[in-house]
Amino acid sequence: MIHKGRVIRESWRVVVLLDVLKGMFIKKHSLICSYAHASVSASSHLKAAISFGLCTIEASDPPCRSAVKRVLKLLVINEVNVNCNFQKDSWKTILLLAYQSLGVVYGDLSISPLYVYTSTFAEDIEHSETNEEIFGTLSFVFWTLTLVPLFKYVFVVLRADDNGEGGTFALYSLICRHAKVSLLPNRQHSDEALSTYKMEEPPAKMNSMVKLLLEKYKALHTALLIVVLLGTCMVIGDGLLTPAISVFSAVSGLEVSMSKKHHQYAVIPITCFILVCLFALQHYGTHRVGFLFAPIVLAWLLCISTFGLYNIFKWNPHIYKALSPYYMFKFLKKTRISGWMSLGGILLCITGSEAMFADLGHFSYMAIQIAFTFLVYPALILAYMGQAAYLSNHHHLQISFYASVPGLAVMTVMLVTTCLTSLVIILCWHKPPIIALCFLLFFGSIELLYFSASLMKFCEGAWFPILLALFLMIIMFLWHYASIKKYEYDLHNKVSLDWLLALGPSLGIARVPGIGLVFTDLTTGIPANFSRFVTNLPAYHRILVFVCVKSVPVPHVPVAERYLVGRVGPPEHRSYRCIVRYGYRDVHQDIDSFESELVEKLSDFIQYDWYRARASNVSNNEDDGSCSNESSGHRLTVIGTMGLCEDSLQLASVSDVVEIDAPLGTRERRVRFAIDGDNEHDNDTESVTVHHQMQQELEDLYAGQESGIAFILGHSHVRAKPGSSVFKKLALNYGYNFLRRNCRGPDVALKVPPVSLLEVGMVYVL
């Protein structure tokens, strides 16, 4: 029987051996890289086995072949076990998620039957004996529910997920990764090496004109960002209004059993009480809320579908004929302008559809698809048909359910989603532009029809979500604009590495014990706030780390790939650069002690860097560029630990990325692996010296940690440069500075102890 820990140890020794062999070039490196990335997750064992097995073709050493065969056998066995367990549990998990989604995703969509018909016939529409108005409304409701939530969202839009995440930002993230349209600063080529940075390569010789057009004009980048911000702000507006509308409409049903006098004073207090209770439960988490409300929504759907069947068979068994699109045209022909305005009430039947995509990250594509297709959709259709059957014999609406504000914000979000999905079809799925155009025209025309009808009610309350969205969009765009300008200012005013290396006792500058963490938005160079710090206080710490906390256009960055670490200057200077990467769905407070985590990563990097230098010296690999002094400022290393720790074996995953200043065509990526606790040292003098230098650097690092860690952050004040327009002065001098003073800074996000915080005042003249 194969001993797993020994196989892992030997296999990684083979990787290190292959890595330092002279003549190991890019092709073989890519194979080892594939093995390394695949071995991080248990579900990729087979890919790992294939990649690692291919390496044996070029490995002529019998011990290498023997170790590889054992690894292949172990990985294949594990793969079979993982697949068997996954097939057993997958359907259980999907059905459980589908059940939970009922209580989170479909609440708003499920209660639409309460107010759709009442809102539709609130206009100047009179019922005729032929019931053409009832049949036309049912036909509109049926085809709207079928085309928008079912065909558009369930079958198309839900597939445009970003690593399982949905929503407007997910679509924008996908587009930014496949086309150079992002306005975010400090973008690096190393971000593309993230395992979550998934990109589908286009077919050979296929270069979309749409992509070239988008990348060429910066004005289109700004327009795309504005559209995304508009959709996001409309979602916020919809989230503000929808709970109040839905609960109020549901509580309004009490008027059946209460007098008008009592009903008037009971509805609003009861609605407020229910809303307070609902929002008080939010902090318990999505899964608990889902389990709590899922049985309620399930019981509701079963009830309305049962009542719908009852009304169909009792009052009008031939109501199914109204599903024909013919009745839609007949309805509009007869009612004309009143019928067109009534579409604002019909669109309420699809409010909540956007939640299927926005909440995709909490569940899964399959779970949401199953829940809507096999339960929610048929239940709603039966409910609407049953209501229409009843109204065809009772033309008076007894219960006055209504929506106080039209669903205008919802239609805006749907239009934004349609436009962005059209770009995803071209840029990400690499489909012909004609397909995207057909998608845009078909669903866009439907949504524009409802949107135009909603605009007619602008003065009746639809102005509120529009005004709220515009206010939020101005705030977001102002923050983004000022952040970009500040980054450009920092980039222009950064100081050189030679300036840092020249600092010393000869200039009256001392180095004090401890670790100084200088936070900056720059990924290269020395930030201006540090030069200002040294100018005013002629001393800095013996261990100096330039920290950049940046956002990457992916939902999540795995912890093992979060830290990019490199040197700034030669090893004896004890200066480093650390780039901490987060996705747009990551929580920045996921580390109990940021400084301890950072020191651990620096320790891993130091051991790796000296190990690489020693391996290079042993193998005489002159083209490796392992001299730390040469690579300072250019090479960054991904540092992360993996969970293979049998036989007390700790593996540090590291990968070199030559960065920033090199032209794109000459960029090179290398992957290395370091094994902690390797007791097999070379006996030559050079290796002993290298080992001693590594130990000395580690001792300095830990001594600095014991002395204390200081967080050096810039305290910025923005001012518009002389001669700027009045609008720019108001936006920067007052608007942005007000937002900055009232927003949480990086010290809060990183849990910086107040006694360890040093703020450097900076005035940005933009």
Side-chain angles (χ1 to χ4, degrees):
M1 183 176 180
I2 301 174
H3 191 273
K4 184 177 178 181
R6 187 178 302 168
V7 171
I8 293 174
R9 181 184 297 275
E10 292 186 8
S11 63
W12 284 89
R13 290 186 188 280
V14 170
V15 175
V16 176
L17 176 62
L18 291 176
D19 183 46
V20 300
L21 284 176
K22 191 174 182 178
M24 180 69 69
F25 292 107
I26 299 300
K27 182 178 180 182
K28 189 172 293 185
H29 272 297
S30 65
L31 297 174
I32 299 175
C33 180
S34 300
Y35 170 74
H37 285 296
S39 62
V40 175
S41 64
S43 61
S44 302
H45 283 306
L46 195 57
K47 181 180 178 182
I50 294 173
S51 300
F52 197 80
L54 288 174
C55 295
T56 62
I57 298 175
E58 300 181 28
S60 58
D61 190 12
C64 292
R65 285 196 195 136
S66 177
V68 169
K69 287 180 180 178
R70 284 182 283 175
V71 172
L72 287 173
K73 184 176 180 181
L74 176 63
L75 293 179
V76 170
I77 292 173
N78 287 343
E79 180 68 17
V80 172
N81 294 333
V82 169
N83 286 339
C84 291
N85 293 332
F86 178 76
Q87 291 174 359
K88 282 182 183 177
D89 299 334
S90 59
W91 280 108
K92 293 181 181 179
T93 304
I94 290 174
L95 292 178
L96 180 63
L97 289 174
Y99 171 75
Q100 284 183 288
S101 68
L102 294 176
V104 177
V105 178
Y106 299 109
D108 184 24
L109 194 62
S110 299
I111 63 173
S112 300
L114 292 174
Y115 41 73
V116 169
Y117 283 109
T118 307
S119 300
T120 302
F121 292 110
E123 306 296 335
D124 298 331
I125 298 179
E126 298 181 358
H127 298 283
S128 61
E129 294 299 326
T130 58
N131 288 318
E132 291 178 349
E133 297 82 5
I134 298 292
F135 293 165
T137 301
L138 175 60
S139 183
F140 265 108
V141 169
F142 171 76
W143 286 106
T144 303
L145 269 174
T146 302
L147 294 177
V148 178
L150 186 63
F151 286 176
K152 175 189 168 183
Y153 279 97
V154 173
F155 294 143
V156 180
V157 176
L158 287 181
R159 296 181 181 273
D161 67 294
D162 184 13
N163 291 279
E165 296 292 338
T168 308
F169 272 149
L171 293 173
Y172 184 62
S173 175
L174 280 175
I175 294 171
C176 289
R177 295 209 300 269
H178 289 80
K180 297 178 182 178
V181 296
S182 176
L183 294 176
L184 293 176
N186 60 32
R187 185 175 180 179
Q188 297 173 277
H189 293 301
S190 58
D191 298 338
E192 299 177 9
L194 290 169
S195 59
T196 52
Y197 203 99
K198 296 180 180 177
M199 291 181 58
E200 295 183 11
E201 295 297 331
K205 298 182 181 180
M206 180 179 178
N207 205 355
S208 174
M209 292 297 297
V210 177
K211 179 180 178 180
L212 296 176
L213 185 65
L214 281 175
E215 293 180 342
K216 183 177 181 180
Y217 299 102
K218 191 173 182 180
L220 294 180
H221 304 177
T222 305
L224 181 62
L225 177 65
I226 292 176
V227 170
V228 171
L229 293 180
L230 177 63
T232 304
C233 295
M234 284 296 181
V235 170
I236 298 175
D238 178 49
L240 180 67
L241 300 175
T242 298
I245 294 173
S246 301
V247 176
F248 183 80
S249 299
V251 176
S252 297
L254 294 175
E255 71 177 70
V256 176
S257 57
M258 297 176 64
S259 63
K260 185 175 181 181
K261 181 179 179 181
H262 292 96
H263 176 264
Q264 182 179 358
Y265 295 101
V267 172
I268 293 181
I270 293 175
T271 301
C272 294
F273 175 76
I274 293 175
L275 287 173
V276 170
C277 293
L278 289 175
F279 284 106
L281 295 172
Q282 293 295 315
H283 73 279
Y284 287 105
T286 304
H287 64 288
R288 290 189 175 91
V289 174
F291 268 117
L292 179 62
F293 289 98
I296 300 175
V297 176
L298 178 61
W300 168 258
L301 291 172
L302 294 177
C303 286
I304 62 175
S305 59
T306 303
F307 293 156
L309 283 172
Y310 171 80
N311 287 327
I312 290 173
F313 288 108
K314 181 174 178 61
W315 300 111
N316 194 343
H318 301 287
I319 193 66
Y320 66 89
K321 295 180 180 179
L323 302 182
S324 171
Y326 167 75
Y327 286 95
M328 290 193 296
F329 298 103
K330 200 170 184 180
F331 171 79
L332 291 176
K333 182 179 180 181
K334 183 175 183 179
T335 56
R336 298 183 182 275
I337 186 67
S338 297
W340 173 64
M341 293 179 62
S342 69
L343 295 179
I346 295 176
L347 72 85
L348 295 176
C349 71
I350 55 174
T351 55
S353 300
E354 182 67 23
M356 290 191 291
F357 186 51
D359 295 334
L360 182 61
H362 296 293
F363 305 100
S364 68
Y365 165 72
M366 187 67 70
I368 292 179
Q369 186 182 48
I370 289 174
F372 183 80
T373 306
F374 296 103
L375 179 60
V376 179
Y377 176 75
L380 290 176
I381 295 299
L382 289 175
Y384 286 117
M385 291 178 66
Q387 284 183 308
Y390 178 85
L391 292 175
S392 64
N393 288 275
H394 305 80
H395 291 176
H396 177 67
L397 296 178
Q398 297 180 351
I399 302 177
S400 180
F401 292 118
Y402 62 93
S404 58
V405 179
L408 183 58
V410 177
M411 293 312 304
T412 307
V413 176
M414 290 184 176
L415 278 169
V416 170
T417 302
T418 300
C419 296
L420 295 180
T421 305
S422 302
L423 290 177
V424 169
I425 291 174
I426 299 175
L427 301 177
C428 307
W429 297 351
H430 309 295
K431 302 297 182 183
I434 188 64
I435 296 179
L437 182 62
C438 292
F439 176 86
L440 178 64
L441 292 178
F442 182 74
F443 291 105
S445 60
I446 296 173
E447 291 159 359
L448 279 175
L449 178 65
Y450 285 115
F451 183 80
S452 62
S454 300
L455 286 177
M456 299 301 296
K457 298 184 179 181
F458 183 84
C459 297
E460 299 177 21
W463 59 269
F464 181 75
I466 297 294
L467 182 63
L468 177 63
L470 289 177
F471 176 72
L472 294 174
M473 189 172 67
I474 290 174
I475 291 177
M476 292 182 181
F477 189 79
L478 175 61
W479 185 271
H480 182 271
Y481 172 78
S483 299
I484 293 293
K485 292 299 181 182
K486 283 177 58 181
Y487 178 80
E488 292 174 352
Y489 181 92
D490 286 336
L491 195 64
H492 180 72
N493 291 276
K494 68 180 181 180
V495 296
S496 64
L497 177 62
D498 294 334
W499 175 87
L500 176 65
L501 298 179
L503 297 177
S506 59
L507 298 178
I509 297 176
R511 301 193 69 168
V512 298
I515 299 178
L517 304 182
V518 182
F519 283 81
T520 174
D521 292 330
L522 298 178
T523 56
T524 59
I526 311 302
N529 63 345
F530 178 72
S531 63
R532 185 177 179 86
F533 172 78
V534 175
T535 302
N536 290 274
L537 184 64
Y540 63 98
H541 298 82
R542 289 178 182 171
I543 305 296
L544 190 63
V545 185
F546 296 97
V547 181
C548 173
V549 180
K550 59 175 289 189
S551 297
V552 186
V554 295
H556 300 284
V557 175
V559 177
E561 304 175 44
R562 179 159 294 166
Y563 289 85
L564 271 172
V565 186
R567 293 191 184 276
V568 178
E572 56 270 14
H573 197 268
R574 301 295 192 260
S575 296
Y576 310 91
R577 185 181 308 282
C578 180
I579 300 175
V580 189
R581 302 178 291 185
Y582 287 94
Y584 58 83
R585 290 277 293 171
D586 283 329
V587 179
H588 286 225
Q589 291 183 331
D590 59 350
I591 298 174
D592 294 333
S593 179
F594 175 77
E595 59 269 24
S596 300
E597 183 83 8
L598 184 60
V599 169
E600 179 184 346
K601 301 302 180 184
L602 287 174
S603 174
D604 291 341
F605 167 76
I606 291 170
Q607 296 178 65
Y608 160 72
D609 194 57
W610 285 109
Y611 174 83
R612 179 170 53 82
R614 185 183 65 186
S616 176
N617 292 334
V618 171
S619 62
N620 295 321
N621 191 357
E622 297 177 357
D623 66 335
D624 185 46
S626 61
C627 179
S628 299
N629 197 6
E630 291 181 18
S631 63
S632 62
H634 295 278
R635 172 172 283 128
L636 296 172
T637 304
V638 181
I639 300 292
T641 56
M642 293 183 290
L644 299 174
C645 48
E646 289 239 353
D647 291 348
S648 301
L649 178 65
Q650 298 290 338
L651 299 173
S653 149
V654 290
S655 62
D656 280 353
V657 183
V658 177
E659 195 53 67
I660 306 301
D661 296 332
L664 182 62
T666 62
R667 182 169 59 91
E668 179 186 3
R669 183 179 301 142
R670 295 178 182 272
V671 177
R672 305 284 197 278
F673 299 92
I675 300 180
D676 295 336
D678 188 4
N679 296 320
E680 298 179 5
H681 302 295
D682 295 318
N683 294 323
D684 55 19
T685 306
E686 188 173 5
S687 296
V688 173
T689 303
V690 168
H691 181 71
H692 175 73
Q693 291 173 342
M694 179 187 73
Q695 293 297 331
Q696 183 62 46
E697 188 171 2
L698 289 174
E699 290 175 4
D700 291 344
L701 176 66
Y702 294 133
Q705 185 181 17
E706 291 293 329
S707 300
I709 299 178
F711 292 78
I712 304 172
L713 281 75
H715 186 81
S716 60
H717 180 80
V718 175
R719 188 172 66 229
K721 61 184 178 181
S724 301
S725 63
V726 177
F727 175 76
K728 185 176 181 180
K729 290 180 179 179
L730 289 175
L732 294 180
N733 296 355
Y734 299 99
Y736 177 77
N737 286 324
F738 174 80
L739 293 175
R740 186 195 54 79
R741 288 193 301 267
N742 292 276
C743 292
R744 292 185 298 177
D747 56 325
V748 178
L750 297 171
K751 298 182 180 179
V752 177
V755 295
S756 303
L757 178 63
L758 290 174
E759 291 188 306
V760 182
M762 285 287 296
V763 177
Y764 290 85
V765 182
L766 306 178

